[in-house]
Amino acid sequence: MVSTSAAVRSGLHFLPTPTTQTLSPNQLLLPLTAIVNSQDHLEIGGCDVPDLVQRFGSPLYILDEETLRSGCRHYRQAFHRYYPGESLVIYASKAWNCLAVCAIVASEGLGLDVVSGGELYTALQAGVNPELVYFHGNNKSIDELQFAIETGCTIVVDNWHELETLARTKAEGGRMNGNPPSPIRILLRIAPGIDCHTHEYIRTGHRDTKFGFDLDQLDQVFAFVSQKPALNCVGLHAHMGSQIFELQPHVDLAGMMMRWMSKAAQYGLPVKELDIGGGLGIRYTEADDPPSIDEWVRVICEGVVRVCAEQGMPLPRLMAEPGRSLIGSACVTAYTIGSHKVIPGLRTYVTVDGGMSDNPRPITYQSVYRAVLANKLSAEATETVTVAGKHCESGDIVIKEAQLPQTHPGDTLVVMGTGAYNYSMASNYNRLTRSAAVLVNAGEANVILQRESYQDLIHHDCLPERLVEKG
Ligand code: LLP
């Protein structure tokens, strides 16, 4: 394992080693297949990274298929190992939703969590089985609810407004496609009131949250749902937050949710599914020490099995919704270095050709990343520089203190751990075109997201006739 105290001597320091190869994907800094090749270049999925930049331009998201598939398998195998009942792993596609990612995850036997009509549409277009899709969100529109009902996916109901809307919609029209009305399959989302340590913006389990039903209201909610034949409440859901390294809150959550399952059953609700959300963190820097996927799944499974035994309850179909820990470490972003600004005695800024538009996490959550020079991987890290983005915003800093060899314009800088919440939160700020993404595997690189063009940028712009210069 990479020692947290080891000095960063070169980019080689971050490569997987025979020891780190046995780590869970969420504990890796670089993807599983990362190596240094004979040209002293970083290679991922059998592809030379500077060469990928030559071919596909930069910034470029490089997604390693093997690491992503390995994450899916770690989750599924851990559930099989530790849970005697039925289980389902649902990929929280908000981490990165696009056709190729949905297709890969589905091919590994995972279900999908979507939070908008757009994510649902993409999942369906990728061929995901709607029966394995769970539709989340705290303010789903009527159109989104109808879309979800038509496709037959499960709706994770967040609040009273949604509950009442669903009961009414169903009573009024049933299925939009003319099929005989059948009850809508729902889970109820609970705000569990459990605190955990992570950034304030990505905590959701505490009581003061916009998501889910407050515990004080659950009796009323259960009573309401039990009176609505249009609603088929098959289970409960909770999610505590993201980038969490602690295990105990998840054990507590599993225990308390089982007690609420028991309560729901007393109201006659046919609850059989327990979805305990996602949240497992990943290693962005050597200082991060997340538990493995295996450990995370084990403590949750043991917690549920224990409570079921104590209370004499049947084992639920147990579900988890990982996003970041499945895909975060499977991707890197390659940038091309451009301008430098040296302020003697103060700081050196090294600027890349992207920034907050392709990775808004540093400016949003003060997230810390690590980087290497992909075209001189073994060069000694001799400088501490600030890697700046190219946006017109002083806060657009990719890495505040990066240890790198001397850099030059044209060098390829690779930032690690950009698979989750990077592309999915990307923007066109300053009218930058959104970056391309390639999927790499065994020496092959396939474009999975095309780089946007200037034409794409104005595709939805409209210029009213009266503003067109006559001339
Ligand atoms: N389930 C629900 C209901 C969620 O809201 C989330 C994440 C997940 C599962 C997946 O959580 P994960 O396993 O990825 O931690 N943009 C932020 C993260 C926002 C997380 C939103 N919900 C970031 O970049 O850190």
Side-chain angles (χ1 to χ4, degrees):
M1 192 192 298
V2 177
S3 148
T4 49
S5 60
V8 178
R9 283 179 239 293
S10 74
L12 301 177
H13 166 94
F14 297 104
L15 288 176
T17 64
T19 333
T20 58
Q21 291 273 357
T22 61
L23 292 177
S24 167
N26 67 314
Q27 297 173 317
L28 295 168
L29 284 160
L30 277 168
L32 272 174
T33 61
I35 58 164
V36 57
N37 68 18
S38 56
Q39 296 177 77
D40 197 26
H41 289 180
L42 175 64
E43 197 174 294
I44 297 176
C47 297
D48 180 281
V49 170
D51 179 53
L52 290 175
V53 169
Q54 283 287 317
R55 288 165 61 198
F56 302 105
S58 64
L60 183 67
Y61 298 111
I62 302 171
L63 176 62
D64 182 43
E65 187 170 348
E66 203 173 311
T67 309
L68 175 57
R69 288 191 183 277
S70 165
C72 297
R73 289 172 196 167
H74 271 74
Y75 267 106
R76 290 203 66 200
Q77 285 162 6
F79 272 102
H80 287 145
R81 197 170 302 131
Y82 302 117
Y83 197 63
E86 204 192 326
S87 61
L88 178 66
V89 181
I90 304 165
Y91 166 57
S93 73
K94 68 206 79 182
W96 186 344
N97 182 297
C98 68
L99 292 175
V101 168
C102 291
I104 292 173
V105 167
S107 74
E108 290 293 334
L110 273 65
L112 223 72
D113 144 2
V114 298
V115 290
S116 67
E119 285 189 355
L120 175 58
Y121 178 79
T122 310
L124 297 175
Q125 291 295 311
V128 177
N129 175 359
E131 285 178 15
L132 299 181
V133 176
Y134 287 72
F135 197 118
H136 285 269
N138 64 322
N139 193 18
K140 305 171 186 86
S141 69
I142 299 270
D143 283 352
E144 286 176 323
L145 289 172
Q146 279 177 341
F147 185 19
I149 294 168
E150 269 177 48
T151 61
C153 64
T154 303
I155 299 178
V156 184
V157 180
D158 182 271
N159 53 61
W160 276 110
H161 172 67
E162 187 182 342
L163 204 51
E164 285 159 359
T165 307
L166 276 177
R168 206 174 41 243
T169 306
K170 197 68 201 176
E172 282 166 6
R175 285 195 172 216
M176 298 284 291
N177 59 10
N179 288 343
S182 55
I184 307 171
R185 208 173 181 278
I186 64 168
L187 298 186
L188 295 170
R189 177 165 183 168
I190 295 178
I194 296 178
D195 236 338
C196 54
H197 294 100
T198 188
H199 193 284
E200 186 196 340
Y201 291 1
I202 52 179
R203 263 189 329 148
T204 48
H206 53 308
R207 191 149 176 227
D208 182 5
T209 171
K210 68 174 182 168
F211 297 108
F213 290 99
D214 190 80
L215 294 178
D216 285 348
Q217 301 191 338
L218 285 185
D219 276 293
Q220 242 181 307
V221 172
F222 293 158
F224 178 89
V225 177
S226 69
Q227 299 305 310
K228 302 286 175 207
L231 304 177
N232 178 22
C233 178
V234 296
L236 303 183
H237 166 275
H239 170 74
M240 282 190 302
S242 202
Q243 186 60 359
I244 301 170
F245 290 180
E246 300 153 293
L247 291 171
Q248 193 54 43
H250 294 279
V251 180
D252 298 343
L253 178 69
M256 85 169 281
M257 291 297 283
M258 280 314 299
R259 285 183 277 279
W260 284 110
M261 292 280 280
S262 159
K263 194 77 182 282
Q266 287 164 22
Y267 281 87
L269 299 180
V271 286
K272 291 177 285 294
E273 297 191 358
L274 173 60
D275 180 346
I276 39 83
L280 173 61
I282 70 169
R283 171 171 284 149
Y284 285 107
T285 76
E286 308 87 318
D288 294 330
D289 192 16
S292 67
I293 291 173
D294 190 88
E295 267 177 289
W296 190 85
V297 172
R298 180 178 58 79
V299 296
I300 289 167
C301 292
E302 286 176 358
V304 171
V305 170
R306 191 172 45 245
V307 176
C308 286
E310 281 164 12
Q311 317 254 325
M313 295 170 67
L315 289 173
R317 182 194 208 204
L318 186 57
M319 302 188 297
E321 269 167 10
R324 189 191 314 266
S325 53
L326 266 183
I327 201 163
S329 317
C331 181
V332 301
T333 304
Y335 298 98
T336 301
I337 290 178
S339 62
H340 288 63
K341 173 176 179 177
V342 182
I343 311 173
L346 191 57
R347 188 182 297 280
T348 296
Y349 287 96
V350 171
T351 308
V352 293
D353 51 356
M356 60 187 283
S357 57
D358 59 79
N359 183 359
R361 299 195 70 257
I363 197 167
T364 314
Y365 317 109
Q366 299 75 51
S367 311
V368 182
Y369 283 87
R370 285 284 181 262
V372 291
L373 273 197
N375 55 323
K376 355 178 154 151
L377 203 60
S378 64
E380 204 181 329
T382 48
E383 302 189 345
T384 301
V385 298
T386 294
V387 178
K390 65 176 281 170
H391 292 273
C392 293
E393 186 133 342
S394 295
D396 176 31
I397 300 296
V398 181
I399 303 177
K400 203 160 180 198
E401 295 196 334
Q403 274 135 28
L404 292 172
Q406 203 181 12
T407 56
H408 301 281
D411 281 340
T412 306
L413 184 93
V414 157
V415 174
M416 305 171 214
T418 58
Y421 307 110
N422 273 228
Y423 167 72
S424 63
M425 290 173 67
S427 74
N428 290 117
Y429 183 42
N430 295 149
R431 286 241 141 162
L432 261 67
T433 54
R434 248 176 292 226
S435 304
V438 288
L439 180 71
V440 292
N441 193 358
E444 213 181 294
N446 303 115
V447 175
I448 57 169
L449 290 164
Q450 276 177 15
R451 187 173 304 285
E452 285 177 344
S453 65
Y454 288 153
Q455 287 80 9
D456 291 331
L457 289 176
I458 58 163
H459 186 67
H460 294 290
D461 284 22
C462 301
L463 192 58
E465 191 61 31
R466 64 189 176 77
L467 299 182
V468 179
E469 280 286 334
K470 307 268 180 342

